[in-house]
Amino acid sequence: MLDEAQAYENSRDYDCCQIIEGAYTVGDAVYEAYCDGREALPTNAEIEAVAKRLLWRSCKKWDGVESDCVAKGEDDAWDYAGEIPGFQEEYIRHAKEMLEIARKAVSE
């Protein structure tokens, strides 16, 4: 993450030596903001977006049974899944797990 933040800071077209506070530069602020963004927990909107995609990708095969998914898209499938108790919640749980796995992979 620190290498990515440094590369991002170096790629920006600004006067990285401009002083904001004392010896704190614009480049320092960009570096810090990049790291803060990478370490931030995923938002509910991000989690739901991943859950919707997981659901949509599995739409043709629910419970191991081939089906003709009546949903026309991710949102339609998500709305349909909301009619089945616990179905959306299970995909949200999987989405949280996947996002946590991804976070660990990039931070190690």
Side-chain angles (χ1 to χ4, degrees):
M1 175 182 68
L2 298 177
D3 292 341
E4 288 178 11
Q6 188 65 52
Y8 182 79
E9 176 188 341
N10 294 340
S11 72
R12 302 297 95 193
D13 185 23
Y14 55 73
D15 181 6
C16 67
C17 298
Q18 179 183 356
I19 305 293
I20 296 175
E21 297 176 9
Y24 195 69
T25 66
V26 172
D28 294 334
V30 168
Y31 182 88
E32 186 177 311
Y34 184 93
C35 290
D36 287 348
R38 283 292 303 275
E39 292 175 342
L41 294 175
T43 65
N44 289 340
E46 292 169 319
I47 292 167
E48 187 173 302
V50 172
K52 282 181 178 181
R53 179 56 56 98
L54 290 172
L55 171 66
W56 181 242
R57 293 282 185 150
S58 67
C59 195
K60 296 288 184 190
K61 202 170 203 174
W62 287 357
D63 297 327
V65 177
E66 291 289 335
S67 68
D68 292 328
C69 184
V70 296
K72 294 178 176 61
E74 282 183 21
D75 289 333
D76 193 28
W78 189 248
D79 291 342
Y80 176 73
E83 296 175 16
I84 304 167
F87 209 64
Q88 285 180 341
E89 292 77 13
E90 185 65 17
Y91 277 92
I92 287 172
R93 187 181 65 74
H94 287 297
K96 286 178 180 178
E97 287 177 8
M98 290 183 71
L99 289 166
E100 182 62 30
I101 290 166
R103 176 176 302 283
K104 286 180 182 176
V106 298
S107 65
E108 292 178 351

